[in-house]
Amino acid sequence: MTGQPPPRRGLLLGLLTALLAAGTVLLVLVVPALYGRDATSEVDDGTHTVPRSEIARTLSGQLTLPFRSGPDAVHCSGDLRPVRSAAVRCTAHFPIGRYRHLTVEVTRVHDNKVTYRRRSVPH
């Protein structure tokens, strides 16, 4: 019996294995980008800080995921000084009335660019 098509079960298992592998690769490549906690901004020439409005804009973008709306507003307690470990507190206000408290901390300063990381603050 030569020339018989392969059994359907083997074909189905091969297809499922390929889909699982593709899904794993997608998760490895996409999820870190969606949940990125670091951002880099330029220091304002006039104030020599990263303005709170820039931090709020960046956080709002980071907290907005595909198929889920982000915060209505983000408010930060002040501008971010371009000094390693300098920090400001921010609050993200979500549409369903929830608040998320965050701290933004400087991790790197290079020339006029400041890299900072967000982290959640427990209630």
Side-chain angles (χ1 to χ4, degrees), residues 40-72:
T40 300
S41 296
E42 288 189 19
V43 173
D44 181 85
D45 289 335
T47 62
H48 303 291
T49 62
V50 177
R52 70 179 81 192
S53 59
E54 168 67 12
I55 299 165
R57 184 191 62 74
T58 300
L59 287 177
S60 184
Q62 287 181 338
L63 297 172
T64 301
L65 299 174
F67 312 113
R68 184 177 130 209
S69 42
D72 287 334

Side-chain angles (χ1 to χ4, degrees), residues 31-39 55 58-65 68 74 80 88 90 92 94 100-107 115-121:
V31 169
L34 292 177
Y35 289 101
R37 294 175 177 256
D38 289 351
I55 299 165
T58 300
L59 287 177
S60 184
Q62 287 181 338
L63 297 172
T64 301
L65 299 174
R68 184 177 130 209
V74 176
L80 190 59
V88 294
C90 299
F94 286 89
R100 183 168 172 193
H101 300 285
L102 305 158
T103 296
V104 175
E105 184 176 354
V106 174
T107 58
T115 301
Y116 47 93
R117 173 170 288 167
R118 70 175 163 86
R119 60 185 163 85
S120 293
V121 176

